[in-house]
Amino acid sequence: MTTVFQAPQSATFANMELSAVTRGRTVPIERLDDVLEGGLPWVPTNVCISSVNTIPPDNPFGPMGETKIIPLPHTRMILPERADRPAMALYLSEIAHHDGAFWPACARSQLRQALSDLNTQYGLTLKAGFEHECYIDNLQDTPTAAYSLAGARKVSGLAHEVQAIMATAGTRLDQFVAEFGVNQFEISSPVREGLGAADHAVLAREAVRDAARGREAHATFAPKPHLGEAGSGVHIHLSLWDSNGVPQTAHAGSLTATSGAFAAGILNHLAAVMAFSTPTPNSFQRIHESSWVGVFSCFGVRNREAALRLAPRTPLADGSHPGASMEFRLCDGSANPYLALAALVRAGMIGLNKALPAPVSIEQDPATLSAEARAAHHIERVPYGVEGCLQAAAPLAEDWFGPLFWQAYEAVRRNDMSDAARLADAYPSMLSKII
């Protein structure tokens, strides 16, 4: 199937809000220049709508106020013409006050501020790459083996179209491969500086969804859409660079003092980070011991059972590792990528501020360690649900993101728990239709 990109007939200006749904306004293409220059009005409460389309009754906005959609022209992506859908231009956007001032409930703005603080206070730049697992149902007529050539061939047509869509945004995917579950796949984004990495993650999700719809298939990034199948995670690869562009993540196969302190900050506040990286009840239906998720607050070199692992890659002659990354494994597609990354930066900055020592590398599945051995290394099992993560985040979140943000975000997360209890067994299926 050849992907044909006609001139777009409309433009959508969208922001990924607190429930990881990309929402916005669509205008005829004739209005494009006006909107790029002046933005569009937006309702503050919209940022709190849940992933199953309910509104938290205790959200801080109610029927009051108005904000503004600020388009980001460099993020434009074209969604191609379908049988009953003209081509559409998609622009990612920030939400701001009407004078353009920072609005704390905008996730992208929060990441922008966190990265600015990291650079201003510590002279560091963060680069990241996202690996998303997803299910694409109704794409394959017969199941294929995990990671197989047959699975890759089954998805190759869709993958080719996704790459063509991404090319309209001047980017691509690094990988599109068959995963472990039936009809499960993994997409890998290229490494970008912080904001660009999260932008890419959002665009990639929308490109995959659109290409799947064009084949009468359905793509979902929900963490556990099928309770009897493997869960879907999001692995976030992080690397630190100084003001001269020198990599600071690893040296001679180990964390540097800088990255070690950053990693220790993340692990010391892992449950708080999870309030933003595994934010829904469905998240915890895939978080189990010895399942390659990383449910213990430990670090390991190449250890996929650690919450944070080092992928050192090949060193240069001087011992530096420009291709090294710290892989954070406790994230999933119900998380807003901007907020997950912002929380990691904020927790890492605590480690930098305190000059924490690098965590010890655990060289086995931490679930196989004795309780005494785990205690000796300060290794703890992560919370069993959203409530525990919210309690861990509460003392930190206002400092990280401000009181208005936390009031809105906590309302959204508690509304999720209410939705899950009300919908019971139907909740994963409903979530998978949107996420």
Side-chain angles (χ1 to χ4, degrees), residues 7 10 22 58-59 66 116 143 159 185 194 248 251 255 284 287 306 315 388 392:
S10 61
T22 307
D58 55 346
N59 81 82
E66 189 172 282
S116 176
F185 301 90
Q248 298 295 313
H251 185 82
L255 295 174
F284 290 84
I287 296 176

Side-chain angles (χ1 to χ4, degrees), residues 66-116:
E66 189 172 282
T67 49
K68 187 177 184 179
I69 295 173
I70 307 294
L72 303 166
H74 68 281
T75 66
R76 187 194 73 158
M77 184 171 75
I78 304 298
L79 301 178
E81 182 177 1
R82 307 291 183 196
D84 60 344
R85 301 169 189 161
M88 173 184 285
L90 169 65
Y91 291 83
L92 300 185
S93 308
E94 289 190 357
I95 309 298
H97 288 290
H98 261 268
D99 61 0
F102 174 85
W103 188 57
C106 173
R108 191 181 191 277
S109 300
Q110 286 287 358
L111 176 57
R112 179 162 49 82
Q113 185 62 57
L115 293 169
S116 176

Side-chain angles (χ1 to χ4, degrees), residues 16-53:
M16 181 172 274
E17 41 65 63
L18 302 183
S19 290
V21 177
T22 307
R23 305 183 199 269
R25 293 195 187 278
T26 302
V27 302
I29 201 66
E30 291 79 12
R31 291 196 61 200
L32 176 61
D33 290 342
D34 289 342
V35 176
L36 289 176
E37 180 178 352
L40 287 167
W42 192 238
V43 180
T45 303
N46 287 357
V47 79
C48 294
I49 299 173
S50 80
S51 52
V52 295
N53 287 335

Side-chain angles (χ1 to χ4, degrees), residues 367-382:
T368 65
L369 294 172
S370 67
E372 294 75 16
R374 288 201 293 269
H377 290 294
H378 307 288
I379 298 172
E380 296 182 356
R381 207 263 187 209
V382 303

Side-chain angles (χ1 to χ4, degrees), residues 129-201:
F130 287 77
E131 295 175 350
H132 285 83
E133 294 166 342
C134 64
Y135 278 86
I136 307 177
D137 294 324
N138 302 322
L139 177 67
Q140 302 187 93
D141 49 359
T142 55
T144 55
Y147 315 113
S148 67
L149 172 61
R153 288 296 288 165
K154 284 282 188 182
V155 79
S156 59
L158 184 143
H160 179 76
E161 181 174 359
V162 169
Q163 296 286 29
I165 295 171
M166 298 295 292
T168 67
T171 188
R172 67 180 196 285
L173 293 174
D174 277 355
Q175 292 188 84
F176 201 132
V177 298
E179 250 289 347
F180 187 79
V182 177
N183 297 327
Q184 188 184 37
F185 301 90
E186 180 181 274
I187 59 172
S188 299
S189 298
V191 173
R192 297 281 188 271
E193 290 196 8
L195 269 177
D199 286 341
H200 189 283

